[in-house]
Amino acid sequence: MSNEKPQAAPASAVLDRFYGVIPAGGVGTRLWPLSRAAAPKFLHDLTGSGSTLIRATYERLSPLSGDRVMVVTGAVHRQAVRQQLPEISNKNLVLELEPKDSAAAIGLAAAILYKRDPQIIMGSFAADQVIAPVEVFQAAVREAVHTAAQGYIVTIGIEPTHPSTGFGYIRAGEQLRVAGAPSARSVVEFVEKPSADVAQTYLDSGSYSWNAGMFVAPVDLMLKHLEANEPVLYAGLMEIADAWDTTRRREVVRRVWPSLPKIAIDYAVAEPAAAAGDVAMIPGAFSWDDVGDFAAIGRLNPAAENSNLTVMGEGARVYSENATGIVVSDTKRVIALIGIEDVVIVDTPDALLVTTKEHAQEVKKAVEHLKASGDTDVL
Amino acid sequence: MSNEKPQAAPASAVLDRFYGVIPAGGVGTRLWPLSRAAAPKFLHDLTGSGSTLIRATYERLSPLSGDRVMVVTGAVHRQAVRQQLPEISNKNLVLELEPKDSAAAIGLAAAILYKRDPQIIMGSFAADQVIAPVEVFQAAVREAVHTAAQGYIVTIGIEPTHPSTGFGYIRAGEQLRVAGAPSARSVVEFVEKPSADVAQTYLDSGSYSWNAGMFVAPVDLMLKHLEANEPVLYAGLMEIADAWDTTRRREVVRRVWPSLPKIAIDYAVAEPAAAAGDVAMIPGAFSWDDVGDFAAIGRLNPAAENSNLTVMGEGARVYSENATGIVVSDTKRVIALIGIEDVVIVDTPDALLVTTKEHAQEVKKAVEHLKASGDTDVL
């Protein structure tokens, strides 16, 4: 201890401030009928790895954070999340009485952690993303923590592999000089999902990366921007945080949470913070997938050799003849496919989806239609 | 009665000799998983009429035959057939202990009816065909009965609408002069399913019609040809027929039926009879469908107006968006179809088929595969 330089904290001390936060929300409508309100995307093993997405997210973070991991999820998922993550203590399982969008979810985590220790650097990573290799991701997070310690909200930008119109983008600025974070850059702005033409110019410029919603930041800096932009939300979250580690938690949550405004963290914190020059970026040179639709499941679970058909599901009994595409089976039924190409079949006990990879994005429409027509038993 | 002409039986007397026979066999493999061993094609309503195919067959015949209708089916279908045709008495429900092909089934009906009354003219019509208009069919059968009374085995030939390679053909000869049967013609020969080229020449010639396996004949003439061509089968059937309307029925059937040779009625009777000049034909100017595959179900159940999707099934809950084809639902599950063309989906509690109209014929392969792989629970 006597060898420590007082003027600069050693790398290990900076990393000791890290606290993982896993927001686990979002039904994953485009993965219906596999993913649904009662069994959202993050509770499924969509990669054939044997782990659910939330478990894989935890296992990516825990080598960095140890047991300092907080999960924010819907109250209805309490049991399922406990089962997936038995390591999470009651005080680190934040249950939303109702969905209030990402600023409330991530903001509450920041507020609770701030009350415990204002030095904490939180890292928020959604529960339903697929990342590999894990080591490259972890190296990026380490750089992000070092950069955050310099007073930045740090996002990890995903190197775009194609001109996607389905993601928001991050426009990087100049290189930053941060010890322990050689690839850190400033962020000029966050931009919304672009048109195809614009996406192509982003890709060509080399200055844009995909916004995967990963944020690593000192909790006090998160809260400072939240207070400036969303004072009502901030006040409510601080009131809940005050009561969190006390016997008043339940009463205060029940009273305050329903009154909170719904807003995305991007609008409440990230974009205004970028405008204020407080956002930095670490490029993420790992492969990343948000498993946005069934076409993603095909990518993440390549077909067996000598086959163009990806089959997922433990009990799957699939017979195919000249068929290509994806079958996700959540039943023990025999499924026979004959002479059909690029099909997507999702077979569950009470609902069946048949579409194509090309139309996988439109599954959302079916869900909206079913909701409108009152067929909510299968949503 | 005193006005009857003794030299020629009046038309009514000829028609009084008619006895309907309905062979109800065949699983309808190409309609799997809807049609299967336990619930073959003839026990389904495949036309949306509200009647099963066997019930519709009975109702087509009974205006001609009254209660003189005999059904030959598998012993396992006894209850289902009784439920569909409560009018059929025990003595007219012929149960096969095991399938023995059409010569044994139709031959046994002929033998039993012969023992009761050698003057009977039987008319054999499979239980799983769809025919309209019924009146045109019945007029053809009346002509066939009049022609049969002149000592012919009479088939009703279906006017071909396209050069099908899926049916056998009947080659007609000269016009016959038969009172009550102005359209009767002799038959030169029966020919097997042709190649596409040959089928086209058949169609162009105007002399060929489809063989729908409809036979109207004096029972003694049927048995004469059966005896000549298949003496072992004939002897066995006559032994069973001797015992049929006695208390020995059960014992004799159990002993003799399993030993009978398997052969199609075409080889055992129709083809040799044609060679002997004993076969005539009535052209059937009605529409006829043997519901050979799911494409047929699409033809027989046109889609609702403003839709290109045919949906069958009482409990069907189908949502579709830019989808065309056929859905047959035997469950209450929600089925969502998005952006998929000419699809065929058959949804049953334990098996699901997804194919296209174009590949509907290949369903048979799937069934063969499932049989080979031991998945017989769904066959």
Short mmCIF file of all heavy atoms in Angstrom, two decimals, chain B residues 215-252:
data_model
loop_
_atom_site.label_atom_id
_atom_site.label_comp_id
_atom_site.label_asym_id
_atom_site.label_seq_id
_atom_site.Cartn_x
_atom_site.Cartn_y
_atom_site.Cartn_z
N PHE B 215 -67.02 -48.64 -60.81
CA PHE B 215 -67.45 -49.82 -61.55
C PHE B 215 -68.90 -50.14 -61.23
O PHE B 215 -69.27 -50.24 -60.06
CB PHE B 215 -66.58 -51.03 -61.20
CG PHE B 215 -65.16 -50.88 -61.67
CD1 PHE B 215 -64.14 -50.61 -60.76
CD2 PHE B 215 -64.84 -50.98 -63.02
CE1 PHE B 215 -62.83 -50.45 -61.19
CE2 PHE B 215 -63.53 -50.82 -63.46
CZ PHE B 215 -62.52 -50.55 -62.54
N VAL B 216 -69.71 -50.29 -62.29
CA VAL B 216 -71.10 -50.72 -62.13
C VAL B 216 -71.23 -52.01 -62.92
O VAL B 216 -70.91 -52.03 -64.13
CB VAL B 216 -72.07 -49.64 -62.67
CG1 VAL B 216 -73.52 -50.12 -62.56
CG2 VAL B 216 -71.87 -48.32 -61.93
N ALA B 217 -71.64 -53.10 -62.26
CA ALA B 217 -71.62 -54.39 -62.95
C ALA B 217 -72.55 -55.39 -62.28
O ALA B 217 -72.73 -55.35 -61.07
CB ALA B 217 -70.20 -54.96 -62.95
N PRO B 218 -73.10 -56.30 -63.07
CA PRO B 218 -73.81 -57.43 -62.47
C PRO B 218 -72.83 -58.21 -61.60
O PRO B 218 -71.69 -58.46 -62.03
CB PRO B 218 -74.25 -58.27 -63.67
CG PRO B 218 -74.12 -57.38 -64.86
CD PRO B 218 -73.03 -56.41 -64.54
N VAL B 219 -73.25 -58.56 -60.39
CA VAL B 219 -72.30 -59.24 -59.50
C VAL B 219 -71.82 -60.55 -60.10
O VAL B 219 -70.66 -60.95 -59.91
CB VAL B 219 -72.90 -59.45 -58.08
CG1 VAL B 219 -72.94 -58.14 -57.33
CG2 VAL B 219 -74.29 -60.09 -58.14
N ASP B 220 -72.69 -61.24 -60.84
CA ASP B 220 -72.23 -62.52 -61.40
C ASP B 220 -71.13 -62.33 -62.45
O ASP B 220 -70.20 -63.13 -62.54
CB ASP B 220 -73.41 -63.35 -61.95
CG ASP B 220 -74.21 -62.64 -63.04
OD1 ASP B 220 -73.95 -61.42 -63.27
OD2 ASP B 220 -75.08 -63.27 -63.65
N LEU B 221 -71.20 -61.23 -63.19
CA LEU B 221 -70.16 -60.96 -64.19
C LEU B 221 -68.83 -60.58 -63.52
O LEU B 221 -67.75 -61.02 -63.95
CB LEU B 221 -70.62 -59.85 -65.14
CG LEU B 221 -69.69 -59.53 -66.33
CD1 LEU B 221 -69.47 -60.77 -67.20
CD2 LEU B 221 -70.27 -58.38 -67.17
N MET B 222 -68.94 -59.76 -62.46
CA MET B 222 -67.72 -59.44 -61.69
C MET B 222 -67.05 -60.73 -61.22
O MET B 222 -65.84 -60.92 -61.36
CB MET B 222 -68.07 -58.60 -60.45
CG MET B 222 -68.47 -57.17 -60.70
SD MET B 222 -67.08 -56.14 -61.27
CE MET B 222 -66.30 -55.75 -59.70
N LEU B 223 -67.88 -61.63 -60.64
CA LEU B 223 -67.33 -62.85 -60.05
C LEU B 223 -66.79 -63.80 -61.13
O LEU B 223 -65.80 -64.50 -60.91
CB LEU B 223 -68.39 -63.55 -59.20
CG LEU B 223 -68.79 -62.75 -57.94
CD1 LEU B 223 -70.01 -63.38 -57.28
CD2 LEU B 223 -67.61 -62.68 -56.95
N LYS B 224 -67.42 -63.79 -62.29
CA LYS B 224 -66.95 -64.65 -63.38
C LYS B 224 -65.51 -64.29 -63.76
O LYS B 224 -64.64 -65.16 -63.87
CB LYS B 224 -67.87 -64.48 -64.60
CG LYS B 224 -67.57 -65.43 -65.75
CD LYS B 224 -68.40 -65.10 -66.98
CE LYS B 224 -67.48 -64.63 -68.11
NZ LYS B 224 -68.19 -64.22 -69.32
N HIS B 225 -65.27 -62.97 -63.90
CA HIS B 225 -63.92 -62.55 -64.26
C HIS B 225 -62.93 -62.75 -63.11
O HIS B 225 -61.78 -63.13 -63.33
CB HIS B 225 -63.92 -61.09 -64.73
CG HIS B 225 -64.46 -60.94 -66.12
ND1 HIS B 225 -63.73 -61.29 -67.23
CD2 HIS B 225 -65.67 -60.51 -66.59
CE1 HIS B 225 -64.44 -61.08 -68.33
NE2 HIS B 225 -65.63 -60.60 -67.97
N LEU B 226 -63.42 -62.55 -61.90
CA LEU B 226 -62.54 -62.76 -60.74
C LEU B 226 -62.13 -64.23 -60.66
O LEU B 226 -60.95 -64.55 -60.43
CB LEU B 226 -63.28 -62.33 -59.46
CG LEU B 226 -62.43 -62.19 -58.21
CD1 LEU B 226 -61.39 -61.09 -58.36
CD2 LEU B 226 -63.31 -61.90 -57.00
N GLU B 227 -63.08 -65.10 -60.88
CA GLU B 227 -62.80 -66.54 -60.83
C GLU B 227 -61.78 -66.93 -61.90
O GLU B 227 -60.85 -67.69 -61.64
CB GLU B 227 -64.10 -67.33 -61.04
CG GLU B 227 -63.90 -68.84 -60.94
CD GLU B 227 -65.21 -69.61 -61.10
OE1 GLU B 227 -66.20 -69.04 -61.62
OE2 GLU B 227 -65.23 -70.78 -60.68
N ALA B 228 -61.96 -66.35 -63.09
CA ALA B 228 -61.07 -66.70 -64.20
C ALA B 228 -59.64 -66.22 -63.95
O ALA B 228 -58.68 -66.91 -64.28
CB ALA B 228 -61.60 -66.09 -65.50
N ASN B 229 -59.52 -65.03 -63.35
CA ASN B 229 -58.18 -64.44 -63.22
C ASN B 229 -57.51 -64.71 -61.87
O ASN B 229 -56.29 -64.74 -61.80
CB ASN B 229 -58.27 -62.92 -63.42
CG ASN B 229 -58.80 -62.58 -64.79
OD1 ASN B 229 -58.22 -62.97 -65.79
ND2 ASN B 229 -59.92 -61.88 -64.83
N GLU B 230 -58.33 -64.82 -60.82
CA GLU B 230 -57.77 -64.99 -59.47
C GLU B 230 -58.56 -66.07 -58.74
O GLU B 230 -59.31 -65.80 -57.79
CB GLU B 230 -57.85 -63.66 -58.70
CG GLU B 230 -56.94 -62.57 -59.23
CD GLU B 230 -55.47 -62.84 -58.94
OE1 GLU B 230 -55.15 -63.48 -57.91
OE2 GLU B 230 -54.63 -62.43 -59.77
N PRO B 231 -58.37 -67.31 -59.17
CA PRO B 231 -59.22 -68.38 -58.61
C PRO B 231 -59.07 -68.56 -57.10
O PRO B 231 -60.04 -68.87 -56.42
CB PRO B 231 -58.75 -69.64 -59.38
CG PRO B 231 -57.46 -69.26 -60.05
CD PRO B 231 -57.49 -67.78 -60.24
N VAL B 232 -57.86 -68.34 -56.57
CA VAL B 232 -57.67 -68.51 -55.12
C VAL B 232 -58.44 -67.44 -54.37
O VAL B 232 -59.16 -67.72 -53.39
CB VAL B 232 -56.17 -68.46 -54.76
CG1 VAL B 232 -55.97 -68.46 -53.25
CG2 VAL B 232 -55.43 -69.62 -55.41
N LEU B 233 -58.30 -66.22 -54.85
CA LEU B 233 -59.02 -65.11 -54.22
C LEU B 233 -60.53 -65.35 -54.32
O LEU B 233 -61.26 -65.22 -53.34
CB LEU B 233 -58.64 -63.79 -54.92
CG LEU B 233 -59.35 -62.53 -54.43
CD1 LEU B 233 -59.11 -62.29 -52.94
CD2 LEU B 233 -58.89 -61.31 -55.24
N TYR B 234 -60.97 -65.76 -55.50
CA TYR B 234 -62.40 -66.02 -55.71
C TYR B 234 -62.92 -67.07 -54.74
O TYR B 234 -63.95 -66.89 -54.08
CB TYR B 234 -62.62 -66.47 -57.16
CG TYR B 234 -64.00 -67.01 -57.43
CD1 TYR B 234 -65.07 -66.14 -57.66
CD2 TYR B 234 -64.24 -68.39 -57.44
CE1 TYR B 234 -66.35 -66.64 -57.89
CE2 TYR B 234 -65.52 -68.90 -57.67
CZ TYR B 234 -66.57 -68.03 -57.89
OH TYR B 234 -67.83 -68.51 -58.11
N ALA B 235 -62.19 -68.16 -54.61
CA ALA B 235 -62.64 -69.25 -53.74
C ALA B 235 -62.74 -68.78 -52.29
O ALA B 235 -63.71 -69.08 -51.58
CB ALA B 235 -61.68 -70.44 -53.84
N GLY B 236 -61.75 -68.02 -51.86
CA GLY B 236 -61.75 -67.52 -50.48
C GLY B 236 -62.93 -66.58 -50.25
O GLY B 236 -63.62 -66.67 -49.22
N LEU B 237 -63.16 -65.70 -51.19
CA LEU B 237 -64.25 -64.73 -51.04
C LEU B 237 -65.60 -65.44 -51.02
O LEU B 237 -66.49 -65.09 -50.24
CB LEU B 237 -64.21 -63.69 -52.17
CG LEU B 237 -62.98 -62.77 -52.16
CD1 LEU B 237 -62.99 -61.86 -53.40
CD2 LEU B 237 -62.92 -61.93 -50.87
N MET B 238 -65.75 -66.45 -51.85
CA MET B 238 -67.02 -67.18 -51.88
C MET B 238 -67.24 -67.94 -50.57
O MET B 238 -68.37 -68.04 -50.09
CB MET B 238 -67.06 -68.14 -53.08
CG MET B 238 -67.12 -67.44 -54.44
SD MET B 238 -68.50 -66.26 -54.63
CE MET B 238 -69.84 -67.40 -55.06
N GLU B 239 -66.15 -68.43 -49.99
CA GLU B 239 -66.29 -69.14 -48.72
C GLU B 239 -66.76 -68.17 -47.63
O GLU B 239 -67.64 -68.49 -46.82
CB GLU B 239 -64.93 -69.77 -48.34
CG GLU B 239 -65.05 -70.69 -47.13
CD GLU B 239 -63.74 -71.38 -46.77
OE1 GLU B 239 -62.74 -71.23 -47.52
OE2 GLU B 239 -63.71 -72.05 -45.71
N ILE B 240 -66.17 -66.97 -47.63
CA ILE B 240 -66.61 -65.96 -46.65
C ILE B 240 -68.07 -65.57 -46.92
O ILE B 240 -68.89 -65.47 -46.00
CB ILE B 240 -65.71 -64.72 -46.70
CG1 ILE B 240 -64.28 -65.07 -46.27
CG2 ILE B 240 -66.27 -63.61 -45.81
CD1 ILE B 240 -63.28 -63.93 -46.43
N ALA B 241 -68.40 -65.37 -48.20
CA ALA B 241 -69.75 -64.95 -48.56
C ALA B 241 -70.80 -65.99 -48.14
O ALA B 241 -71.88 -65.63 -47.67
CB ALA B 241 -69.84 -64.67 -50.06
N ASP B 242 -70.45 -67.26 -48.27
CA ASP B 242 -71.36 -68.33 -47.84
C ASP B 242 -71.71 -68.19 -46.36
O ASP B 242 -72.83 -68.47 -45.95
CB ASP B 242 -70.67 -69.70 -48.03
CG ASP B 242 -70.98 -70.30 -49.40
OD1 ASP B 242 -72.07 -69.99 -49.94
OD2 ASP B 242 -70.12 -71.03 -49.92
N ALA B 243 -70.72 -67.78 -45.59
CA ALA B 243 -70.91 -67.71 -44.13
C ALA B 243 -71.43 -66.35 -43.68
O ALA B 243 -71.82 -66.18 -42.53
CB ALA B 243 -69.58 -68.01 -43.43
N TRP B 244 -71.43 -65.35 -44.60
CA TRP B 244 -71.62 -63.96 -44.18
C TRP B 244 -72.92 -63.73 -43.40
O TRP B 244 -72.90 -63.20 -42.30
CB TRP B 244 -71.59 -63.01 -45.38
CG TRP B 244 -71.54 -61.58 -44.94
CD1 TRP B 244 -72.57 -60.70 -44.90
CD2 TRP B 244 -70.41 -60.90 -44.42
NE1 TRP B 244 -72.16 -59.51 -44.40
CE2 TRP B 244 -70.82 -59.60 -44.10
CE3 TRP B 244 -69.06 -61.27 -44.19
CZ2 TRP B 244 -69.95 -58.64 -43.56
CZ3 TRP B 244 -68.20 -60.32 -43.66
CH2 TRP B 244 -68.64 -59.02 -43.36
N ASP B 245 -74.03 -64.15 -43.97
CA ASP B 245 -75.31 -63.87 -43.31
C ASP B 245 -75.70 -65.01 -42.37
O ASP B 245 -76.88 -65.29 -42.16
CB ASP B 245 -76.39 -63.59 -44.37
CG ASP B 245 -76.19 -62.22 -45.05
OD1 ASP B 245 -75.70 -61.29 -44.36
OD2 ASP B 245 -76.48 -62.10 -46.25
N THR B 246 -74.67 -65.64 -41.79
CA THR B 246 -74.90 -66.74 -40.83
C THR B 246 -74.09 -66.47 -39.56
O THR B 246 -73.33 -65.50 -39.49
CB THR B 246 -74.43 -68.10 -41.39
OG1 THR B 246 -72.99 -68.15 -41.34
CG2 THR B 246 -74.89 -68.31 -42.83
N THR B 247 -74.24 -67.36 -38.59
CA THR B 247 -73.50 -67.22 -37.33
C THR B 247 -72.02 -67.58 -37.51
O THR B 247 -71.21 -67.35 -36.61
CB THR B 247 -74.09 -68.15 -36.25
OG1 THR B 247 -74.11 -69.47 -36.80
CG2 THR B 247 -75.49 -67.71 -35.87
N ARG B 248 -71.68 -68.17 -38.66
CA ARG B 248 -70.29 -68.58 -38.86
C ARG B 248 -69.42 -67.45 -39.42
O ARG B 248 -68.23 -67.63 -39.64
CB ARG B 248 -70.23 -69.79 -39.81
CG ARG B 248 -70.86 -71.07 -39.24
CD ARG B 248 -70.68 -72.22 -40.21
NE ARG B 248 -71.31 -71.92 -41.50
CZ ARG B 248 -70.63 -71.78 -42.65
NH1 ARG B 248 -69.33 -71.94 -42.67
NH2 ARG B 248 -71.29 -71.49 -43.77
N ARG B 249 -70.04 -66.29 -39.67
CA ARG B 249 -69.31 -65.20 -40.33
C ARG B 249 -67.95 -64.94 -39.69
O ARG B 249 -66.90 -64.98 -40.35
CB ARG B 249 -70.12 -63.90 -40.29
CG ARG B 249 -69.41 -62.75 -40.99
CD ARG B 249 -69.86 -61.38 -40.53
NE ARG B 249 -71.24 -61.09 -40.91
CZ ARG B 249 -71.81 -59.88 -40.73
NH1 ARG B 249 -71.11 -58.88 -40.21
NH2 ARG B 249 -73.07 -59.68 -41.05
N ARG B 250 -67.98 -64.70 -38.38
CA ARG B 250 -66.77 -64.30 -37.67
C ARG B 250 -65.65 -65.33 -37.80
O ARG B 250 -64.50 -64.99 -38.10
CB ARG B 250 -67.16 -64.09 -36.20
CG ARG B 250 -66.11 -63.48 -35.32
CD ARG B 250 -66.63 -63.47 -33.88
NE ARG B 250 -65.59 -63.19 -32.93
CZ ARG B 250 -65.25 -61.98 -32.52
NH1 ARG B 250 -65.89 -60.92 -32.98
NH2 ARG B 250 -64.27 -61.81 -31.65
N GLU B 251 -66.04 -66.56 -37.58
CA GLU B 251 -65.04 -67.64 -37.61
C GLU B 251 -64.41 -67.77 -39.01
O GLU B 251 -63.19 -67.86 -39.15
CB GLU B 251 -65.72 -68.95 -37.16
CG GLU B 251 -64.81 -70.18 -37.20
CD GLU B 251 -64.95 -70.98 -38.51
OE1 GLU B 251 -66.11 -71.26 -38.95
OE2 GLU B 251 -63.90 -71.30 -39.11
N VAL B 252 -65.25 -67.74 -40.02
CA VAL B 252 -64.75 -67.94 -41.39
C VAL B 252 -63.89 -66.74 -41.83
O VAL B 252 -62.82 -66.91 -42.41
CB VAL B 252 -65.92 -68.19 -42.38
CG1 VAL B 252 -65.40 -68.27 -43.81
CG2 VAL B 252 -66.67 -69.46 -41.99
#
